[in-house]
Amino acid sequence: IYITQQEYPVPLWPHGPMTPTKRKQIGFVALFKLKPLTSGDIFPHEKTHGPPKEDRYKLLESTRANFCQVFGLYSDPSGKIEESLKKRIRGRASKVQFQTVDGSEHRMWVESDHAFLDPLLNLLQKSALMIADGHHRYEAALRYAKEHPGRSTPWSHVLMYFTRMEGDGVSVYPTHRLVGGLEKRDAQAFVARLRKDYPTDIVPLDRTNPQKMARRLLSQLEKKGKTPYFGIYVADSTELVFVNAKNAKIKVPATLKQ
């Protein structure tokens, strides 16, 4: 296996650090024996789409190689696996070390000692896995293995990165989408139309104190519980619009309500 350690900068969040800091994530890269997503041993968390899966499949068929690992999360509340990895690399020079443009530092160690690996893998087998990223790649690999049953054993596996979901190095950030090319009046008209068809909440924005404003927004979201909301902001506006897609006054696709 390949033990990896990534130290990356943490964005300054309202509920997070107020000064620049870094987090350290440790895990390892290895082959994972492919299992159906209905097996109870590995779980997805997002829906997949046909065109991206076909794209990943064609790449696999053309190259017979995994260019990017599936990101897998295992559960280990005791932290035994993570602590074992940390002890193993302590004081050892890494085989590979580099820094990316965002300031993240990456290091990798090669490990092949079965006296160390076997107990670690036995612990790992007790935990189900969740796919954090790479759903399309995983399903493409499943299809490839099914359609090439006569090929050698590597095709029954996929390259995966494993890290502990309870670890301090795992971060989940919000997703943002920026829509450009709209005139301001068109954007305002769009928001006005949304307010007719969807339940909305308006939150005034205080530009004089961004940290206070951010905390207020997060507080508003926490009060909404698990109800799905979209937040919309028009450039130079003095308010943020929360749109409730679940209780629309018009027919909404089921996927938006989930």
Side-chain angles (χ1 to χ4, degrees):
I1 69 172
Y2 301 90
I3 302 174
T4 66
Q5 180 178 278
Q6 177 189 13
E7 191 170 3
Y8 61 95
V10 179
L12 304 182
W13 298 104
H15 283 183
M18 294 295 104
T19 56
T21 187
K22 286 188 174 184
R23 285 183 183 167
K24 190 178 292 185
Q25 181 182 111
I26 188 168
F28 62 92
V29 178
L31 288 178
F32 176 77
K33 184 171 176 59
L34 288 164
K35 298 179 180 180
L37 293 175
T38 56
S39 66
D41 295 319
I42 184 166
F43 296 92
H45 79 271
E46 66 180 47
K47 294 182 178 179
T48 52
H49 303 279
K53 282 193 288 188
E54 185 66 21
D55 174 74
R56 298 339 182 250
Y57 178 81
K58 287 180 177 178
L59 179 64
L60 185 57
E61 188 174 44
S62 299
T63 64
R64 300 185 186 179
N66 293 147
F67 288 95
C68 186
Q69 311 98 305
V70 174
F71 194 126
L73 293 171
Y74 64 86
S75 179
D76 179 23
S78 69
K80 289 181 179 179
I81 297 175
E82 188 175 272
E83 189 57 33
S84 178
L85 294 172
K86 289 178 180 178
K87 288 181 179 179
R88 192 65 176 177
I89 64 174
R90 193 169 295 151
R92 286 175 59 186
S94 56
K95 187 74 172 179
V96 176
Q97 183 171 350
F98 62 92
Q99 186 178 77
T100 49
V101 292
D102 66 345
S104 297
E105 297 179 9
H106 300 260
R107 301 177 70 188
M108 185 185 75
W109 295 260
V110 180
E111 183 57 64
S112 58
D113 184 357
H114 282 275
F116 167 75
L117 292 175
D118 291 347
L120 182 141
L121 296 177
N122 286 335
L123 283 173
L124 187 65
Q125 288 177 352
K126 298 177 182 179
S127 170
L129 286 172
M130 175 176 285
I131 299 176
D133 186 49
H135 292 75
H136 294 91
R137 277 169 273 148
Y138 190 86
E139 291 190 28
L142 282 172
R143 175 186 166 189
Y144 190 85
K146 182 179 180 180
E147 294 184 4
H148 300 85
R151 294 218 170 137
S152 56
T153 52
W155 311 120
S156 61
H157 294 70
V158 68
L159 195 64
M160 184 175 289
Y161 169 71
F162 300 80
T163 194
R164 176 179 171 237
M165 65 174 62
E166 298 92 350
D168 294 333
V170 176
S171 301
V172 180
Y173 297 141
T175 300
H176 305 284
R177 294 291 181 265
L178 183 64
V179 180
L182 293 176
E183 295 290 338
K184 185 176 180 179
R185 61 178 179 273
D186 294 332
Q188 290 174 333
F190 169 69
V191 172
R193 174 63 186 273
L194 281 176
R195 294 180 66 177
K196 289 182 179 180
D197 297 328
Y198 296 84
T200 57
D201 293 334
I202 306 299
V203 180
L205 300 179
D206 179 8
R207 297 178 182 276
T208 62
N209 192 330
Q211 292 289 340
K212 182 178 179 181
M213 179 180 70
R215 288 192 178 94
R216 181 178 180 185
L217 292 177
L218 288 174
S219 176
Q220 291 283 333
L221 286 173
E222 287 168 355
K223 290 177 181 178
K224 298 181 186 306
K226 296 183 178 180
T227 304
Y229 275 83
F230 292 94
I232 299 177
Y233 170 74
V234 177
D236 300 323
S237 175
T238 58
E239 60 187 25
L240 178 76
V241 181
F242 283 126
V243 181
N244 184 336
K246 190 172 184 179
N247 299 314
K249 302 171 186 175
I250 59 174
K251 187 175 181 180
V252 177
T255 51
L256 285 180
K257 293 185 176 182
Q258 294 178 355

